[in-house]
Structure formats: structure tokens, C-alpha cells
Amino acid sequence: MVTTQAQPLALLGAAGSPYTRKMLALLRYRRIPYAIHWGSHRTPPAGFPEPKVKLLPTFYFPKDDGYEAVTDSTPIIRRLEGDHAGRSVLPGDPVTRFLGDLIEDYADEWLTKAMFHFRWAHPADIENAGPMLVFWNSPVIPDEIAGRASAEISKRQIDRLYVVGSNATTAATIEQSYERAIDALDTVIAQQGYVLGTRPSAADFAIYGQLTQLAIIEPTSAAITQKHSRRVRAWLDRVEDLSGLEPETAAWTHRDQLKSMLRPLLSEIGRVYVPFLLANARATMAGLPQFETEIDGRPWAQPTFPYQAKCLGWLRESYGELSHDDRTALDDVLAGTGCERLFGEV
Ligand SMILES: N[C@@H](CCC(=O)N[C@@H](CS)C(=O)NCC(=O)O)C(=O)O
């Protein structure tokens, strides 16, 4: 059912949730009328159903007898492409489309490790994030209750740092990877404005979502971002609202340009995310609750994450569906970046 201004697409989200911010910017660019309900994944707004897995954002798609509660930004973006014509965020060329899917996945699943790490690993960031999370949820909460809530939330989140793989062994790998990601993003933005051309794609919104926190909220990573690239920092404020951009006058990167344009970013993905995906998939297949591997020349240890084994499966499936010519073109773009290992032996 198509949403209108009279019946906007409702969603539950939080300003401190990178996936909520990814989707809000996408909805603005796509000019899809929406109504955001600020809140927590624990408490759906009155009158809306609960999703199967409580995550932010939760979308409430209207149906004949009420609403369907849906989570997971990546498939929601694909669903919105079918529901609303024009201003697409998915390139038509299957090679560019694949690269967009890979970069979106990297932002959602790897950059988010940096997001969680920088939010909860260093004292100055913890001091900032605890109260922010409380006041994002309610600006009228009394100070005393806010103080207690902040301490509880901070403890719960710090205790969960290990889930994303942030620990003493992995800290340097995560932090250095973030710095290289900003440099790589700077290189591509400087040339064409967005990751896959002079118009934004789902990959841009995914990166934007994580950076709304990393580059702005967390003091430590915000300072790193400013130091490495004021261009990237400024880019975020534009991507927040691209409602005035006319994609008809813009273009996706030509297939012949993809290799040189995306080299730094794909090399970073191949350096850290691909070895992670492969080791995690091996551990998932072996039924291991946690795994150890080497990433970027250092040891890496974390609990197994079955959802990210699915991410690898989806990427491999998309690769398998490419025509022979498209696959050859994609192989050429990925050759030497480390990303070509995605399709070999797990
Ligand atoms: N793959 C999901 C991830 C969504 C997600 O992890 N959301 C976080 C907030 S940013 C959440 O709701 N976490 C709640 C929890 O972990 O219990 C997406 O793309 O939407």
C-alpha cells in the first residue's frame, strides 16, 4: 500500500540508532512521506503491533486490517523500491548494484563495530553516550532518574561490547580500520560526491547512518573524523536531507570507472570485513559459539554471529546470479582488493 501525506509511513526509531538515521535520510531523499515515533525497541508506540525481532527502526507498513511491523533496513529499502517509483537508490547495472550491496553490508555490519566500540570503549565517550541515550528517549525525564537510567544503560551496553568483537585484542584493529575508512570515503566523495556516482545509493545511506554517530556524537571518533576529513564530516550534513537532489541530472559511476574509483574503499573492505565474514561463516558452519582468526595482521576473537554468515550467503547468491560477462567485469573490479576471496573457499 502506497503511503501518502494523509497516511504517512510510520516507523519507530531513535536518534542514536544508526539504522534509524540511515532510513530517515533515505526516506527524505526518496520523498516518501513518513512519521517517526521516537522511542525504544522495547516499547512500540500505542496502536502498532510488535515485530518478530524487536529492533530499531521498526517500520509499520499499512495493510487492509491494520499494520505489519517489519525490521531490518536492507530488505526494507528493497521493498520501498517496489512500493514507490522513481529516485531509486539501487543502480541498474548489475555490477554496480553488487558493489553497492557489498558496501552497504560493510557499513551495516563492520562500521557498526566501530560505532559500538567508540561509543562504549573509552571513558570520555561513555560519559557522553549514557545521558544522550536517556535524553534521546525522553527530554522531560528528571535529572535524578536520568542519572540512574544512564548508569544502567551504560553498564548493559559495556557488558555487550564483546558481542560485536570489541575487546582489548581487537581495539587497535577497529580504530585503525575506522581511520582508513574515512580516508577511503574522502577519496571517492572528492571525485564524484557519492560512493557510486553523482547520485546517492543505499550504500551512501548505510555509511551515513553509522557516521551520524561515529563522526558527530562520540567525542573520540568525531575528533578522528575531523582530523582526517572535514569533507566527510560536512558531507554528512548534506546527506541528512537530499530531498532537493534531482537524480535525472546525475549519474551512476560508469562501469569502466568503478575499478579506479572504488579501489581504496574496496581494499579496506577486503582487508578487514572479508576475513571477518569468512571466519564467522566457518565458525557458524562448525556450530562454534565463538571464533578466533587474524584480521589486519592481528589476532581477532569474538562470538559467532549467525546473521552475518547469512550476509555472506546473500552476497555469494547475488554473485552466482550474475551473467558471465557481468561476473567477469565484477571480478576485474575486485581483483587484488581482498574482496575476491568472498567467492572462494570458506
Ligand atoms: N540489521 C538491522 C539492525 C538493526 C539494529 O541492530 N538496531 C539496533 C539499534 S541501532 C537495535 O535495535 N538494537 C536493540 C538490541 O540490540 O537489543 C537493520 O539493518 O535494521
Side-chain angles (χ1 to χ4, degrees):
M1 202 183 283
V2 170
T3 47
T4 61
Q5 218 138 42
Q7 197 187 18
L9 180 56
L11 69 151
L12 168 69
S17 147
Y19 305 96
T20 300
R21 302 291 291 273
K22 169 188 180 186
M23 295 308 288
L24 286 178
L26 177 128
L27 290 166
R28 283 192 284 267
Y29 169 62
R30 297 220 52 221
R31 297 184 186 157
I32 297 172
Y34 67 88
I36 175 85
H37 297 260
W38 296 124
S40 141
H41 64 285
R42 286 170 219 283
T43 48
F48 291 105
E50 288 191 358
K52 273 194 218 117
V53 187
K54 286 189 184 174
L55 288 175
L56 296 180
T58 301
F59 277 70
Y60 303 103
F61 285 97
K63 52 178 192 166
D64 291 339
D65 58 345
Y67 295 95
E68 184 194 358
V70 184
T71 58
D72 205 355
S73 59
T74 301
I76 292 172
I77 289 175
R78 275 77 188 158
R79 177 170 177 168
L80 292 172
E81 291 276 318
D83 289 353
H84 299 263
R87 305 179 70 80
S88 173
V89 294
L90 303 176
D93 181 326
V95 174
T96 320
R97 168 91 63 119
F98 180 91
L99 292 166
D101 290 352
L102 172 61
I103 297 166
E104 180 182 2
D105 196 51
Y106 156 79
D108 284 350
E109 309 300 332
W110 178 271
L111 271 186
T112 203
K113 292 183 187 300
M115 196 253 116
F116 214 69
H117 168 80
F118 277 114
R119 178 156 288 176
W120 300 114
H122 303 296
D125 302 290
I126 298 170
E127 215 171 281
N128 178 57
M132 289 298 280
L133 283 168
V134 173
F135 293 129
W136 272 321
N137 199 33
S138 167
V140 294
I141 189 164
D143 282 346
E144 198 192 298
I145 301 174
R148 257 182 282 136
S150 161
E152 273 167 33
I153 293 175
S154 302
K155 182 177 178 330
R156 196 166 55 231
Q157 299 292 62
I158 292 164
D159 287 348
R160 288 176 67 210
L161 260 181
Y162 79 96
V163 174
V164 301
S166 162
N167 51 57
T169 314
T170 62
T173 305
I174 295 175
E175 297 193 1
Q176 289 175 22
S177 165
Y178 178 66
E179 295 188 27
R180 290 191 306 268
I182 295 300
D183 292 343
L185 195 54
D186 181 284
T187 307
V188 62
I189 289 174
Q191 293 177 82
Q192 53 181 10
Y194 302 94
V195 168
L196 296 177
T198 56
R199 58 185 289 181
S201 66
D204 292 286
F205 292 109
I207 292 170
Y208 162 82
Q210 300 299 326
L211 294 190
T212 57
Q213 310 303 308
L214 278 160
I216 299 173
I217 302 297
E218 273 55 69
T220 304
S221 48
I224 291 172
T225 315
Q226 298 258 6
K227 189 168 148 235
H228 278 252
S229 174
R230 285 223 157 67
R231 183 196 309 279
V232 169
R233 174 61 195 82
W235 179 81
L236 297 172
D237 296 329
R238 294 169 59 101
V239 177
E240 180 180 351
D241 192 342
L242 293 173
S243 54
L245 189 147
E246 298 300 343
E248 291 72 27
T249 62
W252 298 113
T253 310
H254 191 272
R255 207 183 250 221
D256 302 340
Q257 303 284 305
L258 287 169
K259 189 171 180 165
S260 59
M261 194 64 80
L262 293 178
R263 195 79 190 170
L265 192 52
L266 292 175
S267 299
E268 178 54 24
I269 296 173
R271 181 167 173 169
V272 290
Y273 187 46
V274 172
F276 162 76
L277 276 181
L278 294 172
N280 180 64
R282 278 194 298 273
T284 305
M285 281 192 306
L288 299 172
Q290 57 209 30
F291 66 93
E292 280 173 32
T293 188
E294 193 181 287
I295 297 183
D296 197 23
R298 289 190 202 85
W300 182 277
Q302 77 157 87
T304 311
F305 215 105
Y307 179 85
Q308 289 161 347
K310 282 195 201 159
C311 293
L312 175 62
W314 290 321
L315 289 169
R316 292 168 80 112
E317 232 172 76
S318 309
Y319 181 76
E321 285 163 7
L322 291 174
S323 72
H324 177 267
D325 286 356
D326 289 343
R327 206 178 306 169
T328 308
L330 179 65
D331 286 344
D332 181 52
V333 177
L334 297 181
T337 62
C339 293
E340 66 277 22
R341 292 185 54 216
L342 282 171
F343 316 116
E345 287 265 308
V346 168

